[in-house]
Amino acid sequence: MKNPYQLVEAEIIDIEKETPNIATFVLRPKEKLSFQTGQFMEVAIPGYGEAPFTPSSNPKDTEKMEFTIMDVGRVTKLMHQMKVGDNLGVRGPYGLGYPLEEFKNKELLIVGGGVGLAPLRSLLYSLFNEPSLYKKIDLRYGAKTSKDIIYRGELMGWIKDGKCFVTTTVDTGDELWTGNVGLVTTILENIGIDLGNGSAIVCGPPVMM
Ligand SMILES: Cc1cc2nc3c(=O)[nH]c(=O)nc-3n(C[C@H](O)[C@H](O)[C@H](O)COP(=O)(O)OP(=O)(O)OC[C@H]3O[C@@H](n4cnc5c(N)ncnc54)[C@H](O)[C@@H]3O)c2cc1C
């Protein structure tokens, strides 16, 4: 087994700009690296610094690993200046990951705020690998404005008839936004989840959780 404390070099093969300060970096590790959904990795700029991030990609895709990173400080700012073809270091995985076994045959409420949708995307991909194992998946996602919504090209594609539902809200509306306006908690009313046979998975800023 690979030593999880040793850095593996990983080439940036694509960068998807999600919002003005969030981008998804697609990395191709030069050695095999695997993770379970919900586990995190340390992503390093060798000689400069590193920070923890939870992969936002499907754990089944072992050829590449995606990280959706918000530019908030020293390390993430430099990451956002990097280009396709540059290399980062990745080590891990760490942590326990989401308890997928416990989710089987349950109705799942998934609540994300801002860049907190990143680990939840990896969770959704994992659930979609075997959708028949879960009774219902209901995603409620909130972003500050319509410009701050991440994965906008795929969000609606996650809706699956009678199985997976997606509701999005923004804190502040604008002329482009026709959906709900209000904090993510405002779209938590009337959740059709069987609380006796359900689980909630939440990731977002502390104030939201
Ligand atoms: C398990 C885990 C998973 C995570 N997954 C993700 C993910 O998928 N995507 C993601 O975007 N983030 C994720 N994060 C958060 C991410 O690790 C941090 O955003 C990152 O470490 C910031 O590093 P930085 O060097 O860029 O920022 P820093 O320079 O360390 O700054 C971080 C924040 O601290 C403030 N700050 C810095 N120095 C000071 C100071 N002296 N006094 C007061 N405030 C200060 C900054 O203003 C900034 O808001 C995760 C964190 C954890 C623990």
Side-chain angles (χ1 to χ4, degrees), residues 13 18 56-57 62 66 74 93 129 170 182 186 193-194 201-202:
I13 58 168
E18 305 277 356
S56 57
S57 49
T62 52
E66 297 181 27
R74 194 174 162 271
N129 287 338
V170 297
T186 63
I193 293 283
D194 174 4
I201 305 102
V202 183

Side-chain angles (χ1 to χ4, degrees), residues 40 51-54 68-70 72-77 115 118:
F40 71 97
F53 302 96
T54 309
T68 303
I69 297 177
M70 185 188 270
V72 294
R74 194 174 162 271
V75 171
T76 50
K77 178 160 293 312
V115 77

Side-chain angles (χ1 to χ4, degrees), residues 106-109 136 188 190-200:
K106 282 194 177 163
E107 300 195 352
L108 304 175
L109 173 67
K136 182 176 174 181
L188 292 183
N190 308 318
I191 45 166
I193 293 283
D194 174 4
L195 295 177
N197 183 36
S199 285

Side-chain angles (χ1 to χ4, degrees), residues 1 4 6 13 20 30 33 40 43 56 72 82-83 87 100 103 116 124 152 154 159 163 169 174 188 192 194 199 202:
M1 206 179 123
Q6 220 159 33
I13 58 168
K30 297 190 175 166
L33 266 184
F40 71 97
V43 181
S56 57
V72 294
M82 297 183 91
K83 307 258 176 320
N87 287 304
L100 289 182
F103 296 160
L124 285 162
R152 66 184 66 222
E154 20 176 338
I159 297 173
K163 175 67 83 175
T169 186
D174 55 44
L188 292 183
D194 174 4
S199 285
V202 183

Side-chain angles (χ1 to χ4, degrees), residues 2 8-11 13 26-37 39 41 55-67 90 93 122 125-126 129:
K2 208 197 102 354
V8 170
E9 205 181 6
E11 184 185 350
I13 58 168
V26 184
L27 305 186
R28 186 163 50 215
K30 297 190 175 166
E31 286 172 42
K32 209 171 175 69
L33 266 184
S34 57
F35 68 99
Q36 290 167 25
T37 180
Q39 285 190 301
M41 314 289 292
S56 57
S57 49
N58 193 335
K60 270 206 162 164
D61 190 351
T62 52
E63 294 297 307
K64 60 183 171 57
M65 209 178 260
E66 297 181 27
F67 293 93
V90 181
S122 166
Y125 286 159
S126 299
N129 287 338

Side-chain angles (χ1 to χ4, degrees), residues 58-187:
N58 193 335
K60 270 206 162 164
D61 190 351
T62 52
E63 294 297 307
K64 60 183 171 57
M65 209 178 260
E66 297 181 27
F67 293 93
T68 303
I69 297 177
M70 185 188 270
D71 174 359
V72 294
R74 194 174 162 271
V75 171
T76 50
K77 178 160 293 312
L78 199 57
M79 285 174 175
H80 274 253
Q81 290 164 5
M82 297 183 91
K83 307 258 176 320
V84 169
D86 289 345
N87 287 304
L88 284 163
V90 181
R91 63 185 175 89
Y94 308 110
L96 294 177
Y98 292 116
L100 289 182
E101 276 300 313
E102 280 180 31
F103 296 160
K104 283 185 182 166
N105 291 314
K106 282 194 177 163
E107 300 195 352
L108 304 175
L109 173 67
I110 302 179
V111 186
V115 77
L117 187 58
L120 300 175
R121 181 173 79 151
S122 166
L123 170 65
L124 285 162
Y125 286 159
S126 299
L127 302 176
F128 296 158
N129 287 338
E130 293 179 286
S132 61
L133 296 181
Y134 313 97
K135 280 187 116 167
K136 182 176 174 181
I137 302 162
D138 193 341
L139 172 68
R140 310 279 166 128
Y141 173 55
K144 282 185 182 155
T145 72
S146 63
K147 293 186 187 69
D148 297 301
I149 293 174
I150 61 174
Y151 312 134
R152 66 184 66 222
E154 20 176 338
L155 265 179
M156 290 304 134
W158 295 344
I159 297 173
K160 302 192 191 324
D161 261 359
K163 175 67 83 175
C164 185
F165 304 84
V166 176
T167 314
T168 309
T169 186
V170 297
D171 300 351
T172 310
D174 55 44
E175 66 285 352
L176 297 172
W177 182 251
T178 54
N180 188 80
V181 177
L183 299 175
V184 72
T185 43
T186 63
I187 51 168

